[in-house]
Amino acid sequence: MSTAAPATAAAPSAATRTLRYALHTTGMTVTNVVFMVFTIALPVGMYLLFSMMFGQEGAGQARGVIMVNMAAYGGLGAAVTAGTQIQEDQRSGFLRQLIVAGLSPRSFLAGSVMAASAVILPALAAVGLVGVATGVEVGPGSFLATVAVLWLGLLPTILLGIVLGMLLKGGAAMAGGVVTMMAMAIFGGLWMPLEMFPEWMQQIGRAMPTYWISQLGEWTLQGGELPVIGLLVIGAWSLALGALCALGLRHAVGLTRR
């Protein structure tokens, strides 16, 4: 008489593993009080300060531009910081555990991008809602479109954070992230108009994705001609950084298997 083999649960699919990792990472990030305060309170405070100083310029149009720029700045900080968390996963051995447990490098990268995409939304929404509450005139459709454009446009900054997390070790990853974030905010004209800078800084700024993220946000908010070149710049940055992520992840996984 033969006995039936005990039933075993089917292994989760790659999509399930990716989603589980993304949810886990998102939960860990949003419960980090320091992270949330830094990525939400700072851009909101800067919006209130700048709008109080310059919001009435351009018949009040400046307030909307400031809202877009500070939302982009908050999203930039969240994206780069969330991306550099990969260094902590690598240092603590969590990345190795994930790979041994069956999470593929591709799923790990996709989950990291999904988690970072989720944690930038609170910053975008907080600045946007404070902007509407303090006088930015925008309809619901334009408001949602502006948030969506900023959210999608921040993809290269997420990838940049992941690249920094893979290439830099220990505290250097976080420090490199802060320096990179500041440089992209300044050169991208998020803190002050690019026209106030010397010509050479303006040329650098127009090659930055942050400058075009801001321009696309202004386009959805105030209308005008679509800045097509901005889509090309953001797309080029995304492709280049995506390739670097693929190469860097292979190196990171190789290190964990030594």
Side-chain angles (χ1 to χ4, degrees):
M1 180 177 179
S2 61
T3 58
T8 57
S13 65
T16 301
R17 293 177 188 273
T18 302
L19 183 59
R20 287 177 179 175
Y21 173 70
L23 291 174
H24 170 79
T25 304
T26 301
M28 292 287 290
T29 305
V30 297
T31 55
N32 185 330
V33 176
V34 175
F35 173 84
M36 297 308 293
V37 169
F38 180 75
T39 56
I40 294 178
L42 181 60
V44 168
M46 293 179 69
Y47 162 76
L48 293 173
L49 175 63
F50 289 149
S51 64
M52 181 177 62
M53 296 171 62
F54 310 110
Q56 294 302 323
E57 294 185 6
Q61 294 288 310
R63 181 172 285 107
V65 175
I66 295 169
M67 181 191 76
V68 167
N69 287 349
M70 289 304 102
Y73 172 62
L76 168 67
V80 174
T81 304
T84 57
Q85 292 299 315
I86 190 174
Q87 172 55 216
E88 178 61 23
D89 290 341
Q90 186 177 357
R91 185 195 63 79
S92 66
F94 186 50
L95 175 57
R96 179 177 183 177
Q97 293 180 19
L98 292 172
I99 299 301
V100 171
L103 185 73
S104 69
R106 181 179 301 176
S107 294
F108 176 78
L109 180 59
S112 297
V113 173
M114 292 169 63
S117 299
V119 300
I120 64 179
L121 279 173
L124 299 179
V127 177
L129 292 175
V130 171
V132 172
T134 54
V136 175
E137 297 181 357
V138 56
S142 295
F143 177 81
L144 292 176
T146 302
V147 172
V149 164
L150 294 176
W151 183 60
L152 293 172
L154 285 165
L155 174 60
T157 65
I158 294 173
L159 297 174
L160 180 59
I162 294 174
V163 169
L164 291 174
M166 290 177 179
L167 297 181
L168 302 179
K169 305 303 179 187
M174 187 59 68
V178 172
V179 171
T180 301
M181 178 186 67
M182 301 284 281
M184 297 194 78
I186 294 173
F187 281 94
L190 299 185
W191 287 1
M192 57 194 74
L194 203 62
E195 292 73 17
M196 296 178 64
F197 296 146
E199 180 60 29
W200 67 272
M201 289 185 67
Q202 295 185 35
Q203 293 179 359
I204 295 176
R206 293 189 184 94
M208 291 284 182
T210 41
Y211 173 73
W212 293 108
I213 292 169
S214 170
Q215 295 299 303
L216 287 168
E218 291 181 30
W219 170 70
T220 56
L221 185 69
Q222 300 178 345
E225 188 175 350
L226 173 66
V228 177
I229 189 172
L231 298 176
L232 298 176
V233 171
I234 291 173
W237 275 80
S238 298
L239 289 175
L241 290 168
L244 286 176
C245 281
L247 295 174
L249 184 59
R250 186 181 303 174
H251 175 67
V253 173
L255 287 177
T256 63
R257 287 176 175 170
R258 286 178 180 177

